[in-house]
Amino acid sequence: MALFSSIRLSRQDTGLSFIEPALTSDSPLRKTQTDSRISCTINYDIRCFHTVAAVSSDWPVASKDAPSKLKSDTTPNYHIFQTTTFLKTWEKTYAPALKAELCLIEVRMKNGSPVVFLPFAVFPCKRTRILSFTDQGVADYSAPVLFDCGIEWNRTQVENLWQQILAVLPAFDFAELSNMPEKIGNLINPLFLLANTENQANSHANILTRSWDEIQQSLVRPKAIRRKLRHLHELGNCEFFIANTFQEQQQLLEFMLHEKQQRFIETHVPGFDQYPEKVHYFNEATKAFQTTGTLHISALKLNGESLACMWGLVSGPHYYGIMIASNLKKWAKYSPGHILHYLLLQHLKDEGYDCLDLGVGDEEWKVQNCDLVIPLRCITITATMRGKLYLYQKTAITYLRSTSFWQALRPLKWRFLRALQR
């Protein structure tokens, strides 16, 4: 997610990580003919659906009874970002903004038993057709829905699977399947075996199955956090608040979106005003996940005023912290975001959760305050010459944006654009 700092918002910037080397023309990820090495492997029944309404009932729905993501042999196993609850919301918000064609893949054995389900989308970007997971900054983990089908995955088996998936996918020029974990529970993610590039970042989490003292020891300056919390208590009624009603959730959502937009303006980067689909997503996701009982919005409040808010999701014993926002204009010296994270850890520990997952992103405060690193990788494919040109262009732009000249120029650009809007 891309979680607690800046969020990928651009319609044109797909959030893809253009890491060399791209695959060569004879790579097995690009071939559509049968490889002689895998001619004796499994033939699957693979279907591609273009709306969430058309998929089978075997796709999971967001649920508080979902399996653990850390250690579980349950079938199916998945992250909440592969549920139909998430996919319907993405279909309603990001798909129209991107002009995306959903490609929801169901892979089954010939007897109909499910193997893996894959939520893909193909969309145009700068005259190039891009294949990706349904993400664009709102999914911290991109992976299949995994079924325990008895296959011991190896690279040859997965290459065979991928060739058969390619046969049902629409044409694309470039693909990057990013944010892929190696495993979900105890089940191997087969696509991870085809990963050919490093992911732009890993994910970070707090393990809650340890004692509270051990959890606190993994945090940076927990004594300072507790001291600032005591100071807030001295100012009045300071509370850790969980929104239970839809009205309370909407109020905290409005607070979160307002404070995030203020940070975008202050740091001179594009925000919700430039990319309203982000706001559209969170409004629709709040309704959708609230209906399934998997929405978890918490806040730090002082005398009824919100100082910080965390918008999160729960899937069984796994908590995903999706976005945090704080009122730093008035309360920065009290570090309200850090205090909220501390109180949320304590609450989730008491409630029996096994993980507070801060998702993808190597921000310093997450690295310092988490005790579990979840490595992520990605698959990059340049399927056509147009795809190669797209990769070269994006690589050049990425390099330009890393220069001191661009870093100095970018804030001026957004100051000027926002001044024109006034």
Side-chain angles (χ1 to χ4, degrees):
M1 246 135 317
L3 209 43
F4 298 111
S5 58
S6 61
I7 300 172
R8 296 193 296 268
L9 292 166
S10 173
R11 296 186 188 92
Q12 296 301 321
D13 184 353
T14 64
L16 300 180
S17 164
F18 299 92
I19 305 172
E20 296 283 0
L23 299 188
T24 58
S25 59
D26 60 350
S27 165
L29 293 185
R30 291 190 51 203
K31 291 190 294 184
T32 56
Q33 69 270 24
T34 302
D35 190 315
S36 60
R37 295 175 301 160
I38 55 179
S39 59
C40 296
T41 53
I42 300 169
N43 288 321
Y44 300 97
D45 179 11
I46 303 181
R47 301 184 184 184
C48 179
F49 301 94
H50 300 291
T51 65
V52 183
V55 302
S56 73
S57 59
D58 290 325
W59 284 80
V61 177
S63 170
K64 295 185 74 173
D65 298 323
S68 169
K69 309 305 177 291
L70 299 179
K71 291 184 179 180
S72 173
D73 291 312
T74 301
T75 184
N77 224 328
Y78 54 89
H79 283 284
I80 201 167
F81 312 107
Q82 286 83 57
T83 63
T84 54
T85 312
F86 173 87
L87 293 173
K88 287 177 182 177
T89 306
W90 198 93
E91 180 180 35
K92 191 173 183 178
T93 57
Y94 272 91
L98 295 169
K99 299 180 180 178
E101 176 185 4
L102 281 174
C103 302
L104 306 176
I105 304 296
E106 295 188 7
V107 180
R108 299 177 182 272
M109 304 296 281
K110 289 300 184 179
N111 64 6
S113 60
V115 179
V116 295
F117 294 170
L118 291 152
F120 290 150
V122 176
F123 54 91
C125 182
K126 299 179 180 178
R127 300 182 181 180
T128 305
R129 285 176 60 80
I130 308 295
L131 172 72
S132 77
F133 282 103
T134 48
D135 180 2
Q136 284 62 54
V138 290
D140 282 306
Y141 298 97
S142 295
V145 178
L146 301 175
F147 295 86
D148 188 1
C149 56
I151 298 176
E152 295 185 7
W153 294 108
N154 56 48
R155 186 177 176 90
T156 299
Q157 285 277 15
V158 183
E159 287 176 359
N160 172 52
L161 169 64
W162 180 248
Q163 296 310 311
Q164 294 182 55
I165 291 173
L166 281 178
V168 302
L169 281 172
F172 62 88
D173 301 301
F174 179 82
E176 185 155 280
L177 309 179
S178 58
N179 295 346
M180 296 194 307
E182 181 179 9
K183 298 170 69 175
I184 305 177
N186 293 327
L187 301 181
I188 294 291
N189 173 11
L191 290 190
F192 193 88
L193 299 178
L194 297 184
N196 61 344
T197 59
E198 297 297 326
N199 207 63
Q200 59 185 345
N202 293 316
S203 280
H204 302 270
N206 295 102
I207 301 300
L208 304 179
T209 52
R210 301 171 304 148
S211 70
W212 176 239
D213 286 341
E214 289 175 308
I215 293 172
Q216 290 191 90
Q217 290 172 11
S218 67
L219 305 177
V220 174
R221 296 185 293 275
K223 291 183 179 179
I225 295 174
R226 292 195 295 269
R227 183 176 65 252
K228 291 180 179 182
L229 179 57
R230 287 195 298 270
H231 290 332
L232 286 177
H233 279 293
E234 292 169 0
L235 297 177
N237 180 26
C238 180
E239 61 175 328
F240 173 74
F241 177 83
I242 297 176
N244 292 312
T245 68
F246 183 70
Q247 182 179 6
E248 291 171 343
Q249 292 164 345
Q250 282 296 119
Q251 289 173 346
L252 289 181
L253 175 63
E254 291 173 7
F255 166 83
M256 180 187 76
L257 295 176
H258 176 267
E259 293 301 329
K260 291 301 292 187
Q261 179 62 21
Q262 290 303 114
R263 300 293 86 73
F264 292 138
I265 293 173
E266 291 167 5
T267 54
H268 309 295
V269 298
F272 298 138
D273 49 344
Q274 278 73 39
Y275 308 106
E277 59 267 29
K278 193 73 174 183
V279 175
H280 190 193
Y281 169 81
F282 275 102
N283 280 317
E284 293 299 323
T286 297
K287 299 174 188 174
F289 288 106
Q290 195 269 349
T291 300
T292 63
T294 55
L295 179 67
H296 191 293
I297 305 183
S298 56
L300 175 68
K301 288 193 171 189
L302 178 64
N303 299 324
E305 178 185 356
S306 296
L307 309 190
C309 168
M310 176 84 87
W311 194 100
L313 300 171
V314 296
S315 181
H318 200 97
Y319 172 93
Y320 301 89
I322 306 300
M323 187 187 293
I324 192 169
S326 304
N327 183 342
L328 297 179
K329 185 167 288 188
K330 288 178 61 177
W331 302 102
K333 70 177 182 178
Y334 293 98
S335 304
H338 287 277
I339 292 176
L340 177 57
H341 175 243
Y342 178 87
L343 295 176
L344 180 60
L345 277 171
Q346 193 171 40
H347 167 76
L348 295 175
K349 168 66 178 175
D350 292 343
E351 291 296 311
Y353 287 84
D354 64 13
C355 184
L356 189 164
D357 194 334
L358 300 182
V360 65
D362 291 331
E363 295 93 333
E364 182 179 2
W365 86 271
K366 289 203 292 184
V367 173
Q368 291 178 342
N369 286 282
C370 293
D371 50 62
L372 175 65
V373 178
I374 303 170
L376 304 175
R377 297 206 71 198
C378 55
I379 297 172
T380 302
I381 305 169
T382 52
T384 67
M385 181 56 69
R386 186 183 294 274
K388 289 184 178 181
L389 293 174
Y390 179 83
L391 173 60
Y392 296 149
Q393 180 186 29
K394 294 297 289 186
T395 302
I397 291 175
T398 299
Y399 171 75
L400 176 62
R401 288 175 175 173
S402 69
T403 63
S404 57
F405 171 78
W406 180 269
Q407 296 299 320
L409 182 64
R410 191 185 191 202
L412 299 178
K413 168 189 172 182
W414 288 105
R415 285 181 188 174
F416 175 73
L417 291 176
R418 288 196 168 103
L420 292 179
Q421 294 175 353
R422 293 174 186 155

